[in-house]
Amino acid sequence: MVLLPLAGLALILWLNHGGRSLPDRFVLSVPLSGSLDERAPSASGLPFSSAEGPLSLQDLLFTLHHASSDPRVDAVLLDIDGVRTTPSKISELRRAIERTRASGKRVIAFLHSPEDSDCMLGAACDSVIVEEGGFMLLDGLRAETLYFATPLRKIGVSFQAAQWKRYKSGIEPFVRTGPSPEAEEEVSVLLDEVYRDYIGYVSRRRHLSPDSLRSIIDNVTLMTSPEAVRLGLADGVASSWRFHRELERRLTGKEPDPESGFFVGADRYRDSMEWPMKADTKDRIALITLSGPIVRTTGEEALGLGSGVDVAAVRRSIEGALKDRRVKAMVLRIDSPGGDALASAEMLEMLDSAAVCKPLVVSMSGVAASGGYMAALSGRSIYAEPLSITGSIGVYALKPEISGLVQKIGLGRSIVTRGRNADANSIYKPLDGEAYRKFVEASGEVYRDFVGKVARARKMSPGRVDSLAGGRVWTGRRALEVGLVDRSGGLFDALGEAQRLGGIDSTRQPEIVCYPREKSWLELLVRGDFSAIGSRVESALAGRVIGRLMPGIGPVPAALYPLLSGDHGGEVLTVMPCDIIIR
């Protein structure tokens, strides 16, 4: 009685929405903000509420690809407002903007109080307009890490750590009061490369000398919109209302009409087309996205980094691609800092088996490091953006102990054991000498196995891999030089290679089938999967609350809860030690 009316209403709304045609001429308005997640879940947000958040990176890439060949699109307007994402995603999006411009479409950037990342994207456009009354803040790049060892020690909490090897600095916020020389070296090298790209690209596109741009960043920093124009960083200043009216008047030669529908939003544009690409052959390419921390099971967290992608989701994606006879090749798109070491190894085993049956090409997005790099080893060819963050071949484990806290609060504990080591891994005491040695050696075995996997996949000696490993982080450009990846390029380069390897006619456009396929709220309700519904609601609510309470704080504080909430000896993780975000 409840489901049938809801399903009927949903069908009517869908038919009404899908039946709306687009104008013969329009400006495609594309909002750009936030972290640019690799792929937005199809059922994101809470049930019976509108989806929140900006478009995903894949949404943006495919939207611009469609617009490039759509004769109805007069121009593309990028409404840029506070992008905070990885250098590689900015770089790949810039190249997508350049391809759109090369197709003959004019691309205009409208910036609201822009910062460095907004300026980096705006520079790729034909013209840049800054909102009237706003400011441009160009203060350069900054890397910041919080260290919790001292405040935790004050409340009686500490950690024992196993680190393989020196550059695997993910343990440092929990066991040190400041960065090690290796951690400082890694961050400095990454920032140098990203900063060179920033200065070089923006100065070239805005016809400034690199020294002039550095001087603006170092000595001016904060400027009004007219000052940004005077300094050559923008082409004009206007309010949003006036800018839209003037653009419509200039492109149509008529007075603006609010009812004309001349500006079409990216969400409506997407809903009107065959997504993600219009196919003209029955052949398919499976696009499998591995996004987020790698975990063993749904709902599990990898050191507080979020729910991530689990082994079962990857297995379902692979099975779906292999069972579909029309799928001729697969692209594995990775945007993951790694995670659980055992889960990463299991994913690699599944992907290796799949790659024997059908060609598999890997495309690295913002980050494909540590466990994410392990998964990439399955590819016949690995593509990375020049600023993709990869490598970090190493592992670490953290074992918490709260004996100091127990003593402070006067907590009593009685324990009865059978077996000498039954209580060795308790969080209520530190590991003793023998137990700690075994703890470190177990992590070392995982590291040696990781090095062996890389050596076999990349056809290197273990010694050579070890010289590149030890937790060292590489950009895609440097990874190509040392042999950790095969080619420089983005998602569409990998799709083209998969088309070639799959024997699909190069003059045709195969259908792109996206995995994993997430069930909608209605599907879960019809199946009676109330556990999945509850988990999704909990995740959505937690994301909203944390996003509002701690918008500028990274994942480390949240990591304390899973580490302290179980009686275990610590997980062996292969995770990136840091995030590199441009804002």
Side-chain angles (χ1 to χ4, degrees):
M1 292 175 64
V2 175
L3 291 178
L4 287 177
L6 284 176
L9 178 61
L11 180 61
I12 292 171
L13 291 173
W14 180 79
L15 289 172
N16 180 59
H17 182 70
R20 289 182 297 172
S21 60
L22 298 180
D24 293 333
R25 292 183 60 200
F26 60 88
V27 170
L28 176 61
S29 180
V30 181
L32 272 170
S33 65
S35 60
L36 302 187
D37 293 337
E38 178 60 31
R39 179 185 172 196
S42 58
S44 60
L46 294 169
F48 310 111
S49 69
S50 58
E52 290 191 352
L55 297 171
S56 71
L57 179 62
Q58 288 187 21
D59 287 336
L60 294 165
L61 294 177
F62 285 120
T63 295
L64 291 173
H65 179 82
H66 276 284
S68 298
S69 57
D70 190 337
R72 300 171 300 175
V73 176
D74 263 7
V76 176
L77 170 61
L78 300 183
D79 196 273
I80 303 175
D81 188 12
V83 173
R84 292 171 173 82
T85 192
T86 59
S88 173
K89 291 182 178 180
I90 291 175
S91 175
E92 188 165 14
L93 197 50
R94 282 190 325 215
R95 292 202 295 119
I97 294 168
E98 290 168 352
R99 285 194 296 268
T100 304
R101 291 175 46 242
S103 72
K105 306 293 183 185
R106 183 170 178 79
V107 183
I108 305 160
F110 188 80
L111 310 182
H112 307 259
S113 297
E115 299 185 20
D116 297 87
S117 57
D118 302 326
C119 183
M120 292 167 72
L121 283 174
C125 301
D126 291 294
S127 57
V128 177
I129 308 299
V130 183
E131 188 171 25
E132 188 175 31
F135 289 85
M136 181 177 283
L137 174 62
L138 302 185
D139 54 359
L141 309 184
R142 180 185 69 188
E144 182 179 88
T145 305
L146 300 179
Y147 292 84
F148 302 95
T150 298
L152 287 174
R153 196 177 300 119
K154 289 182 178 179
I155 62 172
V157 176
S158 63
F159 287 87
Q160 292 174 294
Q163 179 188 25
W164 292 81
K165 295 184 179 179
R166 291 181 304 154
Y167 287 88
K168 198 68 177 179
S169 55
I171 64 167
E172 295 187 4
F174 300 96
V175 300
R176 295 179 61 97
T177 58
S180 65
E182 291 80 10
E184 283 191 325
E185 175 190 334
E186 290 284 88
V187 173
S188 294
V189 169
L190 285 173
L191 282 183
D192 284 344
E193 191 158 353
V194 175
Y195 196 56
R196 280 195 299 270
D197 176 84
Y198 173 18
I199 296 296
Y201 186 84
V202 175
S203 62
R204 182 173 66 256
R205 288 288 304 150
R206 297 305 306 175
H207 306 292
L208 300 168
S209 72
D211 287 341
S212 296
L213 181 55
R214 290 191 191 94
S215 178
I216 292 171
I217 293 171
D218 293 339
N219 302 313
V220 181
T221 308
L222 181 65
M223 64 208 84
T224 64
S225 300
E227 286 178 315
V229 174
R230 180 178 60 81
L231 292 170
L233 294 168
D235 302 297
V237 178
S239 67
S240 178
W241 178 81
R242 188 171 79 247
F243 169 71
H244 281 76
R245 286 178 61 84
E246 290 178 353
L247 182 59
E248 183 174 352
R249 184 184 294 113
R250 185 166 71 248
L251 292 177
T252 65
K254 302 176 183 178
E255 283 302 305
D257 179 5
E259 304 299 323
S260 67
F262 189 64
F263 292 89
V264 173
D267 52 352
R268 181 185 168 194
Y269 184 65
R270 168 181 170 159
D271 291 343
S272 70
M273 64 183 63
E274 186 178 337
W275 191 262
M277 296 176 74
K278 185 177 181 180
D280 58 9
T281 176
K282 292 183 178 180
D283 292 334
R284 290 175 169 176
I285 294 175
L287 174 57
I288 302 173
T289 300
L290 198 162
S291 180
I294 294 172
V295 297
R296 286 182 237 183
T297 58
T298 302
E300 182 184 4
E301 293 196 351
L303 202 58
L305 294 170
S307 56
V309 57
D310 67 304
V311 173
V314 174
R315 182 185 297 113
R316 288 193 300 270
S317 299
I318 292 172
E319 289 173 350
L322 293 181
K323 288 179 181 177
D324 189 341
R325 294 184 179 181
R326 292 167 58 188
V327 170
K328 304 302 181 184
M330 299 173 289
V331 170
L332 179 66
R333 175 73 166 181
I334 303 176
D335 187 33
S336 173
D340 183 277
L342 293 178
S344 302
E346 188 172 353
M347 287 183 184
L348 174 60
E349 184 178 6
M350 292 188 297
L351 290 163
D352 276 340
S353 296
V356 173
C357 303
K358 296 182 180 182
L360 176 65
V361 178
V362 170
S363 170
M364 293 182 172
S365 181
V367 55
S370 211
Y373 180 73
M374 186 185 292
L377 297 174
S378 59
R380 185 180 300 187
S381 187
I382 302 176
Y383 283 80
E385 285 286 329
L387 295 180
S388 292
I389 296 173
T390 188
S392 193
I393 302 165
V395 302
Y396 65 82
L398 285 165
K399 192 273 179 187
E401 69 96 2
I402 60 172
S403 58
L405 177 61
V406 167
Q407 185 176 5
K408 286 177 183 290
I409 64 177
L411 177 66
R413 177 177 182 251
S414 173
I415 183 74
V416 179
T417 65
R418 296 295 183 272
R420 187 178 67 176
N421 297 313
D423 192 40
N425 290 328
S426 169
I427 65 170
Y428 297 100
K429 66 177 186 179
L431 295 169
D432 61 25
E434 178 63 16
Y436 180 69
R437 186 189 65 78
K438 292 179 179 178
F439 172 67
V440 174
E441 182 56 29
S443 302
E445 284 298 323
V446 177
Y447 174 73
R448 286 186 283 274
D449 179 67
F450 195 170
V451 168
K453 286 179 167 62
V454 176
R456 288 189 294 274
R458 303 305 300 171
K459 295 180 174 55
M460 298 179 181
S461 69
R464 170 60 176 165
V465 174
D466 187 52
S467 71
L468 304 174
R472 292 172 180 83
V473 177
W474 305 85
T475 60
R477 181 182 292 111
R478 295 167 60 221
L480 179 61
E481 293 172 356
V482 299
L484 293 177
V485 304
D486 298 300
R487 299 180 184 180
S488 180
L491 176 58
F492 288 102
D493 298 298
L495 288 170
E497 176 68 2
Q499 183 168 347
R500 185 186 70 81
L501 293 174
I504 303 173
D505 187 344
S506 61
T507 64
R508 310 298 292 272
Q509 174 56 60
E511 182 181 351
I512 308 299
V513 184
C514 297
Y515 294 94
R517 294 182 172 181
E518 187 177 80
K519 293 182 176 63
S520 69
W521 291 103
L522 185 59
E523 286 176 304
L524 294 176
L525 191 60
V526 170
R527 291 170 59 91
D529 195 347
F530 298 109
S531 174
I533 292 173
S535 176
R536 192 177 290 178
V537 170
E538 180 184 3
S539 177
L541 288 173
R544 291 190 182 189
V545 171
I546 292 173
R548 283 163 172 73
L549 293 180
M550 301 189 299
I553 298 179
V556 173
L560 299 178
Y561 174 74
L563 280 172
L564 298 175
S565 62
D567 192 18
H568 56 76
E571 295 176 278
V572 179
L573 300 170
T574 175
V575 187
M576 265 285 293
C578 59
D579 290 327
I580 302 294
I581 304 297
I582 304 298
R583 60 181 294 275

